[in-house]
Amino acid sequence: MKDQDSNLIDVNHGTQLHKIHGDQKIFEKELENVFGRSWLFLTHESIIPNHGDYIVTKMGTDEVIVSRQENGDIKAFLNVCRHRGAQLCPNEAGNAKGFVCSYHGWGYGNTGELQAVPFDKEVYGGLLDKCKNSLHEVAKVQSFHGFIYGCFDEDAPSLDEYFGDLKWYLEPYFEHSGGLELIGPPARCLIRANWKCPSENFVGDAYHVGWTHASALRTGQSVFTPLASNSTPPTEGLGLQVTTKYGSGLGVLWDAYAGIHDSSLIDDMMQWACTKEQQLAEKIGVVRARIYRSHLNTTIFPNNSFLTGSGVFKTWQPIDKDTTEVYTWAMVEKDMPEELKQRIAISVQRTFGVAGYWESDDNDNMESETYMTKGFQTKNKQLNAQMGIGNDVYNGEYPGVVGESAIGETSYRGYYRAYGAIVNSNSWHEIEDKSSTWADILTNAKTK
Ligand code: UNU
Ligand code: FES
Ligand code: FE
């Protein structure tokens, strides 16, 4: 395993072995080292606003309860009873002071404390230490402007450091806009694809849009419709690609706020964004105000993706090496009129929800990338993410490692550099060690 591991990702040449998308041993390493140590998206504050509000979601293959505490903090616990391990909360969401296990009736507060054990004195004779049988708590829970992430590893950098150079690009939309909310519950469906296929696509694939989505583009008359069938070449100044130390990255498509939405929404959304852009320009400057009104396709490493403006918000939950459960929320600006929020929410599900007419274009490709790893010869061949290699710049005009074109694979290379470091590390100390020269490694990469 060790030798194979070190060849999985060739950071210096921008290639990866195809079997990253379908190998049992790699999948198990990912659960331990990637999902065990990275920040994972849980929910948004707007979904659990009141004391006792909770949702149940996944962190890797583990179910967790995410609960709003009395003091407003948010805690997360494994959704598993400490007695014999039955699932504690069978609901997707609700409001509760606590949770009672259906097997023997152990009762926990929403603080995680074990509070009630049937016949406690009679059957345990007072020997059961309740304090030692609290729910297993997720080590860290932090917020990025209302978006709640959890991490199993106490030693992880703060969520703020983890977002790193991406903050400069994300703050105009996530913070300066007046803030965002998510509209749930998320649509959920299974795809027969490895979780990294959609994660890598959202981190930096503007290349496929005109080709894969040609029919969807023509049908919906979106901002991107001129790209259909690659009939418009990517001109200079159309966008950027960005990657960061811990693998999160994004693509900027300038001025394309309404993005994927069809002609019934473009005018209203563009008018909304142009008005706000003008207000923001005074506060944060014209460049970042323009970022607010642009379209960012983003993956927060490892498996949380979104399209700003378009308002598509996803987690790609790993079920097994070739099955992924896709969660899709709509992301809207808090101060939008209720009617506009609802129209966006419907449009997000129509395009990128279960059977969304954009999403299903992608799924065919994701599933075939994954299926082809079943080929014995195929799985040890290299994939190519070399587009734009040699032209990446660190902290030039823009923060992070940046490729200055709309279409390129800068953020694929950054995502997989971090992935290679994290999947092979047994601690955050080791990850930091391997990542200290991350920007040099990426900017010095060559095809040969
Ligand atoms: O999903 C994507 N990778 C994407 C969507 C990229 C650019 C525009 C729209
Ligand atoms: Fe990209 Fe075939 S052209 S996978
Ligand atoms: Fe796509």
Side-chain angles (χ1 to χ4, degrees):
M1 188 63 197
K2 204 156 197 296
D3 284 341
Q4 289 173 356
D5 268 4
S6 46
N7 295 321
L8 277 183
I9 309 294
D10 183 345
V11 186
N12 299 323
H13 302 100
T15 63
Q16 306 83 36
L17 282 193
H18 197 152
K19 70 177 177 194
I20 58 169
H21 292 322
D23 180 276
Q24 188 57 30
K25 283 189 187 142
I26 293 170
F27 184 74
E28 283 160 20
K29 277 271 168 208
E30 288 172 348
L31 294 178
E32 183 182 352
N33 293 339
V34 177
F35 290 93
R37 268 187 267 287
S38 304
W39 283 97
L40 306 172
F41 179 73
L42 298 175
T43 190
H44 192 274
E45 283 189 0
S46 61
I47 291 182
I48 47 170
N50 303 312
H51 173 219
D53 287 349
Y54 71 87
I55 58 101
V56 172
T57 189
K58 300 285 281 293
M59 290 176 71
T61 48
D62 293 289
E63 273 188 30
V64 292
I65 302 173
V66 183
S67 165
R68 178 76 77 166
Q69 304 291 298
E70 200 160 6
N71 67 0
D73 286 356
I74 292 172
K75 288 188 173 187
F77 312 99
L78 292 187
N79 186 20
V80 171
C81 181
R82 290 294 306 271
H83 180 218
R84 302 301 306 157
Q87 184 191 47
L88 188 57
C89 177
N91 307 324
E92 275 181 39
N95 181 286
K97 292 197 187 78
F99 304 94
V100 177
C101 181
S102 62
Y103 197 175
H104 308 90
W106 282 24
Y108 303 85
N110 63 11
T111 55
E113 291 160 340
L114 177 59
Q115 292 176 338
V117 172
F119 304 126
D120 186 7
K121 290 197 186 65
E122 293 86 342
V123 296
Y124 287 101
L127 293 175
L128 178 70
D129 189 345
K130 290 210 191 81
C131 297
K132 291 211 173 106
N133 286 282
S134 302
L135 296 180
H136 294 290
E137 188 169 344
V138 174
K140 292 179 146 189
V141 175
Q142 289 175 14
S143 164
F144 181 73
H145 303 295
F147 291 75
I148 310 295
Y149 293 75
C151 180
F152 287 122
D153 191 335
E154 195 67 61
D155 298 333
S158 70
L159 186 63
D160 197 67
E161 286 172 75
Y162 190 78
F163 272 65
D165 292 324
L166 277 203
K167 283 184 293 178
W168 187 88
Y169 300 87
L170 295 178
E171 282 161 356
Y173 184 70
F174 279 71
E175 180 186 5
H176 302 297
S177 70
L180 305 175
E181 57 193 37
L182 282 189
I183 301 177
R188 287 161 55 164
C189 72
L190 292 173
I191 58 173
R192 298 296 286 168
N194 183 269
W195 64 272
K196 294 187 298 309
C197 297
S199 299
E200 64 167 44
N201 172 275
F202 272 67
V203 89
D205 199 325
Y207 192 33
H208 82 293
V209 175
W211 193 251
T212 289
H213 299 294
S215 310
L217 285 165
R218 290 213 187 84
T219 311
Q221 299 304 311
S222 87
V223 172
F224 298 133
T225 295
L227 306 174
S229 300
N230 288 346
S231 53
T232 316
T235 48
E236 216 174 300
L238 215 63
L240 305 171
Q241 319 134 51
V242 181
T243 190
T244 66
K245 185 176 183 183
Y246 301 116
S248 300
L250 57 79
V252 179
L253 295 171
W254 290 116
D255 312 317
Y257 179 86
I260 59 157
H261 297 294
D262 69 25
S263 51
S264 66
L265 266 170
I266 293 174
D267 288 350
D268 291 348
M269 286 185 72
M270 281 306 198
Q271 207 180 348
W272 172 267
C274 287
T275 306
K276 200 178 268 187
E277 180 188 11
Q278 282 163 15
Q279 296 160 359
L280 289 185
E282 288 175 34
K283 215 168 106 195
I284 58 174
V286 288
V287 177
R288 293 181 82 209
R290 191 182 179 203
I291 295 243
Y292 154 79
R293 212 244 308 180
S294 296
H295 192 273
L296 314 184
N297 56 277
T298 310
T299 295
I300 303 304
F301 186 91
N303 69 328
N304 166 225
S305 300
F306 49 84
L307 307 175
T308 70
S310 289
V312 173
F313 194 94
K314 302 270 194 181
T315 53
W316 318 105
Q317 304 287 16
I319 302 294
D320 60 35
K321 67 181 169 52
D322 39 32
T323 313
T324 297
E325 188 170 15
V326 183
Y327 289 34
T328 309
W329 294 259
M331 173 169 61
V332 294
E333 291 167 44
K334 268 189 197 147
D335 58 353
M336 280 175 164
E338 204 53 41
E339 170 266 351
L340 184 59
K341 290 181 187 172
Q342 287 308 317
R343 283 164 67 205
I344 293 171
I346 290 165
S347 175
V348 161
Q349 298 300 342
R350 219 176 253 165
T351 49
F352 271 99
V354 176
Y357 69 95
W358 277 65
E359 180 93 336
S360 33
D361 295 335
D362 290 315
N363 288 348
D364 287 344
N365 292 318
M366 309 292 155
E367 294 189 359
S368 93
E369 281 178 275
T370 302
Y371 182 75
M372 297 318 284
T373 64
K374 304 210 182 298
F376 183 80
Q377 302 294 329
T378 298
K379 67 183 170 198
N380 287 307
K381 306 292 190 217
Q382 287 168 344
L383 304 173
N384 184 308
Q386 296 180 323
M387 199 189 308
I389 209 165
N391 298 325
D392 293 336
V393 173
Y394 180 49
N395 280 345
E397 195 180 345
Y398 301 99
V401 167
V402 174
E404 282 214 34
S405 68
I407 298 186
E409 287 166 335
T410 303
S411 26
Y412 272 68
R413 292 189 288 277
Y415 180 92
Y416 281 113
R417 187 217 63 82
Y419 170 85
I422 295 172
V423 81
N424 287 319
S425 291
N426 295 311
S427 67
W428 263 100
H429 184 78
E430 255 183 72
I431 296 169
E432 292 292 359
D433 237 28
K434 290 178 190 164
S435 300
S436 60
T437 57
W438 72 280
D440 289 337
I441 296 171
L442 289 171
T443 52
N444 290 327
K446 298 180 183 60
T447 48
K448 283 198 184 109

